[in-house]
Amino acid sequence: MDARTQALPFDPATLRGLSAQLLNSHHQNNYGGAVKRLNAIRTQLATTSFASTPGFQLNGLKREELIASNSMLLHELYFASLGGDGQTMEPAMALALVANFGSVDRWREEFAAMGKALGGGSGWVLPREGTLVNQWAADHTHALAGGTPLLALDMYEHAYHLDHGAAAGAYVDAFMQNVDWAPVYARYQQAVHAASEPFGATQDDVAGSVLLDVRRAGVFTQAASMIPSARWRDPAAVEHWAGELPAGRALVVYCVYGHEVGRSTAMRLRAAGLNARYLRGGIDGWQAAGRPLEAKPAKEMPS
């Protein structure tokens, strides 16, 4: 089945610092060209006699198939990342950036600097799920094993030369002003849920475990109660307190609903070698099941 080009998910006339002419040319010629090239390669592969084809020819075809496939997919992610104001994001998305980079501004500084460093060359800059990292990728053949791309910045000259000439830095600044964080966050949620699903804990698993309340600081401050025997820890600072936890003990963390805050915190603790799981349903599910709660002690208040 042939691959099909996807329509632009935004009105190209509404973006700041990136002209409709540039965006339409990028979409039609570079992205559309990758789709056509991929279909042509797959057509050729469908009629190839693999048993009799010389290795160098097969290697060339499969390499070109990889390049065309990734070019198509990365362009789709790139366009799907645009159309927003570059700033507005869900609190849980901001929390993920803070927990992994120290602050949203620190992430933004690194991501933009990597893009500008690629200016005049060829490549992509991609943050990924789980423990978020900014990945440098030259051409279309580099990928972080096990990673899921969430946001793509195209640094090939075709992405900016029509508007900005050789001023790749100005293009990166314009891109950052147009990031749409809603679909980025949706991709982050999907990736975290898929990666963490095997590590869910039931309400009965809480007994005998070290129990940590990892609701966001703002949410916890407004809360009146918590699960008995739990201690609050700031999920934005997990790297600072993870080393204080007992090795070899079963750990269960919970957030409000058992979504990405609890899941991602558990995954980061597991990456540190700890036996951590997240509570399915969070404290909301715990309360709905009629399980006991206790008043939040003053000592647990975030400082």
Side-chain angles (χ1 to χ4, degrees):
M1 182 181 297
D2 282 351
R4 296 185 179 182
T5 57
Q6 306 295 313
L8 281 173
F10 53 82
D11 180 352
T14 62
L15 269 60
R16 297 168 293 167
L18 301 173
S19 70
Q21 181 185 12
L22 168 67
L23 292 163
N24 284 324
S25 175
H26 191 175
H27 179 266
Q28 294 168 12
N29 297 313
N30 302 102
Y31 163 56
V35 175
K36 292 176 182 177
R37 187 166 68 254
L38 175 61
N39 288 333
I41 294 167
R42 286 178 173 172
T43 297
Q44 185 172 352
L45 284 168
T47 59
T48 294
S49 174
F50 295 112
S52 60
T53 298
F56 72 90
Q57 291 184 4
L58 182 58
N59 284 340
L61 277 172
K62 296 303 289 185
R63 180 180 185 278
E64 291 302 314
E65 181 188 31
L66 173 63
I67 291 173
S69 296
N70 279 352
S71 179
M72 177 184 72
L73 295 171
L74 289 170
H75 274 105
E76 289 174 355
L77 178 59
Y78 170 76
F79 291 122
S81 302
L82 293 170
D85 63 9
Q87 298 290 332
T88 304
M89 65 179 71
E90 291 289 332
M93 186 73 252
L95 170 66
L97 294 175
V98 171
N100 287 273
F101 294 93
S103 70
V104 174
D105 286 342
R106 177 67 177 173
W107 166 80
R108 196 183 308 275
E109 177 185 353
E110 179 182 320
F111 186 83
M114 289 174 63
K116 293 174 182 179
L118 273 168
S122 59
W124 301 80
V125 183
L126 308 167
R128 294 175 176 269
E129 61 82 16
T131 297
L132 292 175
V133 298
N134 287 326
Q135 185 212 323
W136 176 93
D139 302 321
H140 305 102
T141 57
H142 292 75
L144 182 65
T148 302
L150 306 178
L151 171 68
L153 169 57
D154 188 349
M155 288 308 303
Y156 280 84
E157 287 187 347
H158 64 240
Y160 60 86
H161 199 272
L162 190 64
D163 279 359
H164 298 284
Y171 156 70
V172 173
D173 293 339
F175 174 88
M176 301 300 287
Q177 293 175 22
N178 289 284
V179 172
D180 186 355
W181 280 101
V184 175
Y185 176 56
R187 289 188 287 272
Y188 171 72
Q189 285 182 301
Q190 184 178 28
V192 169
H193 279 241
S196 62
E197 190 58 28
F199 306 113
T202 69
Q203 294 171 357
D204 291 334
D205 292 328
V206 168
S209 300
V210 176
L211 185 60
L212 301 177
D213 186 321
V214 295
R215 286 177 286 181
R216 291 186 292 110
V219 173
F220 185 77
T221 297
Q222 299 298 319
S225 57
M226 56 196 305
I227 297 177
S229 78
R231 293 173 292 162
W232 181 77
R233 291 293 182 269
D234 186 354
V238 61
E239 66 178 79
H240 299 297
W241 50 260
E244 303 171 1
L245 299 175
R249 289 285 305 277
L251 307 172
V252 176
V253 303
Y254 69 85
C255 57
V256 179
Y257 301 112
H259 292 165
E260 64 277 5
V261 175
R263 289 170 179 253
S264 62
T265 303
M267 293 295 288
R268 295 201 69 192
L269 292 173
R270 294 187 69 86
L274 296 167
N275 181 20
R277 292 184 290 172
Y278 69 92
L279 179 62
R280 296 187 185 277
I283 191 173
D284 182 76
W286 178 275
Q287 184 174 19
R291 300 272 182 155
L293 296 173
E294 66 180 16
K296 182 179 66 179
K299 67 176 182 177
E300 294 289 348
M301 288 293 290
S303 57

